């Protein structure tokens, strides 16, 4: 018996001088032994990675081990094939064997070695079914496999007897499938599926081991419940030999439970074929896999494809089953435009830090933003600042100040606004693209959905929730309904979305930047009309943008020639974006956002302070009030911090502050001074003529009455008022919600 107390594994083979033959066929009786041998002997870069993982997890009372299936393939192809083709059979066996091995190998009181066997483990192995090729027993035909001596110690570790041990998997060498590629032959096998998590249910509990008792006699039984959507099969009547006809009931206090959660996986937008709806599939995860992936996370799912029948189909004796994925592993990905995997190797960190030290980095990054678009230098620099973002701040009272930068591109058609949005969505570590015309308030924020089967209400996040930690690009921003634009006010400034519907009261995070593109009211800018008549945005939404660019398509011979030459050369030479450069820029952005959080220097703070006070003083002397408020000062701080973050600098210097002021002047201030946007950003006092026109309009338009705009204009023109003055008064009253446009702005309704 002394040999069994040593640091060895006993395996019976035909020749006592041979080691364990890892090429023999895997059966239910020896799979656990092979798996334990794999855990104890597998090395990567001269380290026992799985032993270290188990040791660290057990010390932290996390009874979980994550295995890479590619490592099992390198160790034993037979074990790999058995797990892949029959996971429902072998994974529970591996969990049971390894759990019992840990219980026997780790002693409660100051166990010095992780690898020590005892008789209870060997007796358990003896009780398993045996085969002719391999038998586990204590006799002279046993061969010991000498284990490495430098496996470390666990120290004082206390593990409960019935701890919920779980094995999860990754699959580094697999090719992920799309949801639409799943077929019937995949049922019951391990597959890897890629997509984006769009919904998480509440965490509930499921019975793992049910304790049932007869209602008449004292007979008790234990039933093991399979994981997944399968139910519990309770015997119809008591099986006692005394002809007991009682039924069984579940004794809840004696049952064993574990956590479970239902998720919904959707195809990535870039994989959906034209004209098709994105496919979705239900997923089931349990134990340590619950609450691992918030909505919006792009993942590769390692799962067992299973099937279930809904209650309605079971009642109709329908043999058609619905597929679902029983998750056995998550892997967060960084491909596509979704959530980036924030893991960087030491070599990659050194390369990225070296990249941050190169000269003219700011110019290089701005020129790397869609080189196919000619010009737009300041816009590209502003988008570069938006991609890196400022530094979020948590005040002493717990209030969070956003560090994300919001940018609005407002201008003529055919000025590459949508193209810039598409590129930013592609290069951002987290990016979501949507169109204002096809978006509602619920689609942008969140909606409440009722589960058809259970009737339970749950939240499904919208674009701004899915883009948490990144950028949401909203094209055709002017085509959104006014009430939908109002819904994102909180998300743009406080970066939260408050929900109080259907008994659900919660707050969702939407820590995202907003990049919006819009057209003037009548499609293009008209130089013969007032700018305020062509911009249909309220002050409340415009003030939330840190930078506003007016993009004009001005007819200029030399400029048109340069743009046309650039486009033709680009098409003729077939110059495409270097995908490796885009991926490198994407990783650099993700790295800077993850590790750098700069703050203003004293000199930079003084510089911004002087500019702010100066602009506030100038606002008193000008007719068009420049909207320099605390929001604009915070915008300057965020832009300065983003310029410092771009260089991986912990301090924003005076040079960064000067460039932030220049960008702010070339965007928002330029829009105010040269394009008349000041009247929209800061509500100036109405002159006497407009007030007189408003009084006349209130006289001829009854409350709650719909009137044609042209009739109002013609009526007041006959009274001696100018047409432009009447149209401007109607527009201002609609901005104040005294009137409301209807029927494509041909009619107005008086609200009050």
């Amino acid at each position: 018996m002394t040999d069994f107390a040593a640091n060895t594994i006993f395996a019976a083979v035909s020749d006592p001088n041979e080691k364990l033959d890892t090429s023999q066929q895997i059966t239910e009786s020896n799979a656990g032994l092979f798996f334990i041998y794999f855990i104890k002997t597998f090395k990567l870069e001269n380290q026992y990675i799985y032993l270290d993982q188990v040791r660290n997890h057990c010390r932290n009372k996390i009874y979980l081990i994550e295995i890479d299936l590619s490592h099992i393939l390198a160790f034993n192809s037979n074990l790999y094939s058995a797990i892949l083709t029959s996971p429902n059979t072998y994974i529970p066996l591996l969990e049971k064997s390894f759990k019992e091995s840990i219980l026997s190998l780790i002693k409660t009181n100051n166990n010095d070695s992780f690898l020590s066997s005892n008789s209870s483990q060997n007796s358990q192995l003896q009780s398993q079914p045996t085969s002719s090729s391999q038998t586990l027993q204590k006799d002279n035909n046993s061969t010991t496999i000498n284990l490495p001596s430098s496996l470390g110690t666990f120290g004082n570790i206390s593990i409960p007897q019935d701890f919920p041990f779980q094995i999860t998997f990754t699959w580094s060498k697999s090719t992920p499938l799309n949801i639409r590629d799943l077929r019937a032959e995949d049922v019951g096998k391990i597959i890897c599926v890629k997509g984006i998590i769009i919904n998480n249910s509440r965490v509930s509990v499921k019975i793992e081991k049910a304790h049932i008792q007869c209602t008449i006699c004292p007979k008790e039984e234990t039933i093991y419940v399979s994981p997944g959507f399968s139910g519990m099969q309770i015997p119809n009547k008591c099986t006692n030999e005394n002809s007991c006809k009682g039924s069984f009931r579940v004794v809840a206090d004696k049952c064993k439970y574990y956590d479970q959660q239902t998720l919904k996986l959707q195809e990535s937008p870039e994989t959906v074929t034209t004209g098709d709806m994105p496919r979705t599939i239900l997923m089931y995860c349990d134990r340590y896999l619950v609450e691992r992936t918030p909505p919006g996370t792009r993942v590769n799912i390692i799962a067992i494809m299973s099937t279930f029948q809904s209650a309605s189909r079971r009642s109709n004796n329908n043999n058609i089953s619905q597929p679902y994925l029983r998750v056995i592993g998550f892997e967060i990905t960084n491909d596509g435009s979704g959530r980036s995997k924030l893991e960087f190797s030491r070599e990659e960190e050194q390369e990225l830090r070296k990249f941050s030290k190169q000269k003219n980095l700011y110019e290089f990054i701005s020129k790397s933003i869609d080189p196919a678009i000619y010009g737009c230098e300041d816009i590209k620099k502003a988008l570069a600042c938006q991609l890196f973002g400022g530094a979020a701040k948590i005040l002493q009272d717990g209030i969070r100040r956003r560090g994300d930068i919001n940018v609005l591109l407002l201008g003529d058609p055919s000025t590459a606004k949508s193209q810039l949005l598409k590129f930013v969505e592609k290069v951002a570590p987290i990016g979501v693209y949507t169109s204002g015309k096809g978006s509602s308030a619920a689609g942008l924020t969140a909606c409440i959905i009722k589960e058809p089967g259970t009737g339970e209400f749950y939240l499904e996040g919208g674009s701004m929730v899915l883009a948490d930690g990144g950028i949401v690009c909203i094209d055709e921003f002017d085509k959104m309904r006014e009430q939908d634009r109002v819904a994102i006010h909180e998300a743009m400034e406080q970066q939260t979305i408050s929900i109080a519907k259907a008994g659900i009261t919660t707050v969702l995070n939407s820590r995202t930047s907003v990049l919006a593109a819009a057209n003037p009211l009548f499609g293009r800018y008209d130089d013969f009309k007032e700018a305020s008549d062509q911009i249909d945005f309220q002050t409340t939404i415009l003030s939330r943008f840190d930078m506003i660019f007016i993009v004009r398509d001005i007819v200029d011979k030399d400029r048109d020639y340069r743009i046309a030459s650039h486009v033709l050369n680009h098409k003729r030479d077939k110059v495409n974006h270097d995908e490796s450069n885009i991926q490198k820029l994407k990783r650099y952005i993700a790295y800077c956002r993850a590790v750098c959080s700069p703050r203003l220097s004293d000199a930079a703070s003084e510089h911004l302070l002087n500019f702010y006070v100066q602009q506030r003083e100038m606002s008193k002397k000008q007719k068009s009030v420049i909207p320099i408020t605390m929001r604009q000062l915070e915008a300057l701080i965020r832009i300065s911090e983003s310029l410092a973050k771009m260089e991986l600098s912990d301090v924003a210097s005076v040079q960064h502050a000067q460039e932030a002021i220049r960008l702010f002047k070339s965007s928002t201030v330029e829009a105010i001074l040269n394009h008349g946007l000041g009247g929209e950003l800061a509500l100036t006092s109405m002159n006497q003529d407009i007030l007189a026109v408003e009084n006349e309009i209130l006289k001829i338009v009854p409350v709650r009455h719909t009137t044609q705009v042209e009739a109002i204009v013609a009526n007041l023109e006959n009274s001696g008022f100018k047409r432009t003055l009447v149209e401007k008064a109607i527009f201002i009253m609609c901005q104040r919600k005294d009137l409301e446009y209807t029927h494509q702005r041909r009619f107005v309704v008086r609200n009050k």
Side-chain angles (χ1 to χ4, degrees), residues 241-339:
E241 298 178 355
N242 298 330
S243 300
C244 177
K245 297 182 179 180
S247 59
F248 283 104
R249 65 177 181 88
V250 178
V251 184
D253 294 344
K254 296 183 179 181
C255 295
K256 184 182 177 183
Y257 303 90
Y258 59 83
D259 294 330
Q260 69 165 10
Q261 188 179 29
T262 303
L263 300 88
K264 188 181 291 185
L265 185 73
Q266 180 177 289
E267 285 181 315
S268 302
E270 62 269 14
T271 63
V272 180
T273 56
T274 304
D276 255 350
M277 290 285 290
R279 305 283 177 86
T280 60
I281 190 169
L282 281 177
M283 300 193 303
Y284 168 92
C285 60
D286 54 30
R287 293 176 284 182
Y288 288 101
L289 293 177
V290 301
E291 299 289 2
R292 285 275 299 273
T293 51
T297 307
R298 290 188 177 236
V299 291
N300 287 342
I301 299 294
I302 315 300
I304 304 171
M305 187 172 175
S306 308
T307 60
F308 75 99
Q309 277 191 323
S310 60
S312 58
R313 288 184 173 175
R314 283 198 302 267
S315 60
N316 296 332
N317 294 325
N318 196 327
N319 292 327
I320 299 177
S321 300
Q322 294 294 324
Y324 75 97
L325 301 179
R326 186 160 71 85
V327 181
I328 57 175
F330 287 110
E331 184 179 4
I332 298 176
T333 63
N334 63 341
D335 58 335
S337 56
R339 193 171 298 270

Side-chain angles (χ1 to χ4, degrees), residues 691-720:
L691 290 176
V693 173
E694 290 184 4
N695 292 330
E696 293 296 324
I697 292 173
L698 295 176
K699 291 178 182 178
I700 63 177
V701 179
V703 178
R704 304 297 179 188
H705 187 74
T706 303
T707 308
Q708 191 174 10
V709 173
E710 188 61 32
I712 298 174
V713 174
N715 192 339
L716 294 180
E717 274 188 312
N718 294 333
S719 301

Side-chain angles (χ1 to χ4, degrees), residues 691-749:
L691 290 176
V693 173
E694 290 184 4
N695 292 330
E696 293 296 324
I697 292 173
L698 295 176
K699 291 178 182 178
I700 63 177
V701 179
V703 178
R704 304 297 179 188
H705 187 74
T706 303
T707 308
Q708 191 174 10
V709 173
E710 188 61 32
I712 298 174
V713 174
N715 192 339
L716 294 180
E717 274 188 312
N718 294 333
S719 301
F721 294 101
K722 293 182 179 180
R723 183 182 186 89
T724 55
L725 199 62
V726 177
E727 291 177 344
K728 188 168 186 177
I730 294 174
F731 180 80
I732 292 172
M733 294 179 72
C734 289
Q735 291 288 306
R736 293 203 314 262
K737 300 299 182 182
D738 294 338
L739 301 178
E740 183 178 348
Y741 282 118
T742 60
H743 298 86
Q744 299 178 348
R745 305 173 71 93
R746 291 184 290 109
F747 292 84
V748 291
V749 179

Side-chain angles (χ1 to χ4, degrees), residues 147-198:
L147 299 172
S149 58
S150 58
L151 294 175
T153 61
F154 268 53
N156 291 323
I157 295 180
S158 177
I159 295 182
Q161 185 70 22
D162 200 17
F163 64 93
F165 190 80
Q166 184 178 16
I167 298 175
T168 62
F169 295 93
T170 60
W171 203 353
S172 58
K173 299 295 180 64
S174 67
T175 301
L177 301 173
N178 292 320
I179 295 176
R180 62 183 65 238
D181 296 331
L182 301 180
R183 295 293 181 265
E185 53 266 23
D186 297 324
V187 175
K189 299 179 181 178
I190 292 181
I191 55 175
C192 182
V193 185
K194 63 181 179 181
I196 180 170
I197 304 292
I198 63 170

Side-chain angles (χ1 to χ4, degrees), residues 489-503:
H489 282 186
E490 180 192 0
M492 289 184 66
E493 191 61 36
Q494 281 74 39
Q495 296 198 311
T496 57
I497 295 173
S498 301
I499 299 293
K501 297 178 181 178

